[in-house]
Amino acid sequence: MPAQVQAAVDRLTGTVKQFSIAQRTLGLIGIAVLVLGAVALSSWLSKPTMSPLFSGLSGADASAVVDELTAAGVPYQLVDGGATVLVPESSLYDQRIKLAAAGLPSNADGGGYSLLDSMPMTSSEFQQQTTYQRALEGELARTIGALDGVESASVKLALPEDSVFVSEKADPTASVFVRTRPGTSLSADQIQAVVHLVSAGIDGMKPTDVAVVDATGKVLSAVGTGTTGGAAGQQASDYEARVAASVQALLDRVVGPGKSAVTVTAEVDQSQTDSTVEEFTATPDTPPLASSTTTEQYTGGAASGAAGVLGPDNIQVPNGDGTDGSGSYESSTEDVTNAVNKRTETTTQGPGAIERQSVAVVLDETAAAPIDMVGLRETIAAAAGIDVERGDTIAVQAVPFDTTQAQAADEALAAADEAAKAAEQSSLIRQAAIGGLVLVLLLALAIGMTRRSRKARRTQIDLGQLQPVLTDEQRLALEGIPEDALPELPPGPLPGEPDPVARKRAEITALADDQPAEVADLLRGWLGTSATPAGRR
């Protein structure tokens, strides 16, 4: 190992050895956190980006797709309740092509006109007709399934057979089963779209011949009535809401918000009628298209042997009329074909016409005091489209409003706001207290760790080698000699030269002033070490 690396390792080892147990524990925890974070980051970075392979799958198709992905060893994830399959983005298009070659998902094809591609040439007429009907059903089901909110759809057609023995041909009918996504439902416009889509796709089918049923068993469109029965109440409600909103917006600007109430009741005609009128008008100034005249004349006497005119009782009257032998006959007939105009008018009236409506308006008496009620009534009638000839009615009345509920609601809102503010303040105080407590604990822990580290750390002081003042021989020789007979001590150091003992003593004093606890611990250690030899001596 190079010397520089070895020196760095030695310094690191020496530094670690000087740590206390708490510092070493914290260091190990920090290293573990760093290692775990690095592992989690590397795993997240190495995780592939997932993209949806297919969405809106049925249970059978999802199971088949998952089996194919498992066999190919491609990782996947199921979301949206198993209806969506996610695969790595790098394998997205390859897996789509492979699954499409395997015919998955099957509901994406839905049969359709692809059934005609695999029809053998030896198929019978019945098989051809059945396959063609299945193809129509599959195409219609796939188209309906593309609507927003539709999870799956199934279409069944009842097409009558052509026969020369039947004088009247039956109308074709269709039944549509629709399964919507969870939490969604088909609107009236979507139901109408499904009905007209199916009826327009089949020759001779009327919109009233299509039945639509959802997954809950609710009939959205019935054969014979269509969606009229189900949409009757919806049309009336929409009209009432629209008129009430327009009148309420007008009143809010006049008397202020919350000072009026509007109620609209409408009767909507749900019948559908077809009428045809033919009108013929003569044109006198126009010459006739054709004219013919026939004239017949006859002149002559009576035939020979005429006996005159018979009288009563078959008795001939002598010298009566017709006996003179003279007479004449003339007849004229005219046939004229005049030119006339013909006008044929066909009218189809659909449901939704307003038969009658009633508007009731109530105003706050205080707010309506300075307002002309007659003019306001005419204004409301114009805004609501009141037709007196149709039988529409309007009623406008000013009454005192009950404001107790409004006041109670305002007080409840104010109390709720105060409670929310108090809860927010208490939450802030609680969080501040918790933060302060955590900060105090952290400071206490830091101070304790600092004191422990100071106690654990020992400072080595180089005191040098102490030179004894007297040797052992001199000390033994001086024992028993009077104090006044002691020899003089050797002279001290010159003033210009620093005393090494004084210098060491000053350093020890400064160290004791700066770090009294460490010096005390050091002295206790020295005293404990020298106690045994001193006792023996």
Side-chain angles (χ1 to χ4, degrees), residues 8-33:
V9 172
D10 294 340
R11 286 197 299 270
L12 180 62
T13 304
T15 304
V16 171
K17 289 181 178 179
Q18 294 179 0
F19 287 171
S20 63
I21 297 177
Q23 291 176 340
R24 293 179 182 179
T25 303
L26 292 177
L28 292 177
I29 294 174
I31 293 173
V33 170

Side-chain angles (χ1 to χ4, degrees), residues 139-388:
E139 288 294 328
L140 292 173
R142 183 170 60 180
T143 307
I144 295 172
L147 293 176
D148 187 17
V150 177
E151 183 177 355
S152 62
S154 176
V155 179
K156 301 298 179 183
L157 301 177
L159 304 178
E161 297 181 359
D162 296 334
S163 177
V164 296
F165 301 103
V166 179
S167 60
E168 295 183 359
K169 182 180 178 181
D171 295 333
T173 58
S175 61
V176 181
F177 174 80
V178 178
R179 182 186 299 275
T180 58
R181 300 184 185 277
T184 60
S185 60
L186 295 181
S187 62
D189 295 336
Q190 289 179 319
I191 298 172
Q192 288 282 357
V194 171
V195 170
H196 288 283
L197 174 67
V198 176
S199 62
I202 305 299
D203 185 18
M205 182 177 293
K206 301 177 183 178
T208 54
D209 294 333
V210 180
V212 181
V213 182
D214 62 1
T216 61
K218 182 180 179 181
V219 178
L220 305 178
S221 175
V223 175
T225 60
T227 58
T228 303
Q234 184 66 30
Q235 290 180 354
S237 299
D238 294 343
Y239 177 79
E240 293 170 357
R242 184 170 64 253
V243 175
S246 61
V247 175
Q248 188 66 56
L250 175 64
L251 293 175
D252 289 343
R253 291 179 176 271
V254 176
V255 298
K259 303 296 183 180
S260 62
V262 180
T263 302
V264 180
T265 303
E267 296 179 3
V268 181
D269 184 12
Q270 298 298 330
S271 61
Q272 183 173 357
T273 59
D274 298 333
S275 61
T276 302
V277 178
E278 292 185 358
E279 183 180 354
F280 297 89
T281 305
T283 55
D285 297 336
T286 304
L289 297 178
S291 177
S292 62
T293 305
T294 303
T295 304
E296 183 180 357
Q297 295 180 352
Y298 174 75
T299 303
S304 59
V309 180
L310 296 177
D313 299 331
N314 272 341
I315 299 175
Q316 184 177 1
V317 179
N319 298 325
D321 293 339
T323 61
D324 56 356
S326 65
S328 64
Y329 172 79
E330 183 179 356
S331 175
S332 176
T333 303
E334 183 180 2
D335 187 7
V336 179
T337 303
N338 294 321
V340 294
N341 292 335
K342 178 183 178 182
R343 186 172 64 92
T344 303
E345 180 180 356
T346 302
T347 304
T348 302
Q349 184 179 0
I354 303 300
E355 294 182 345
R356 183 177 177 273
Q357 69 171 343
S358 301
V359 178
V361 178
V362 178
L363 302 176
D364 188 7
E365 187 177 18
T366 304
I371 300 176
D372 183 10
M373 299 299 294
V374 177
L376 181 62
R377 185 178 183 277
E378 294 178 355
T379 303
I380 295 173
I386 298 297
D387 188 357
V388 179

Side-chain angles (χ1 to χ4, degrees), residues 405-422:
Q405 295 183 356
Q407 294 177 358
D410 293 339
E411 293 176 359
L413 290 176
D417 293 338
E418 293 295 335
K421 291 181 180 179

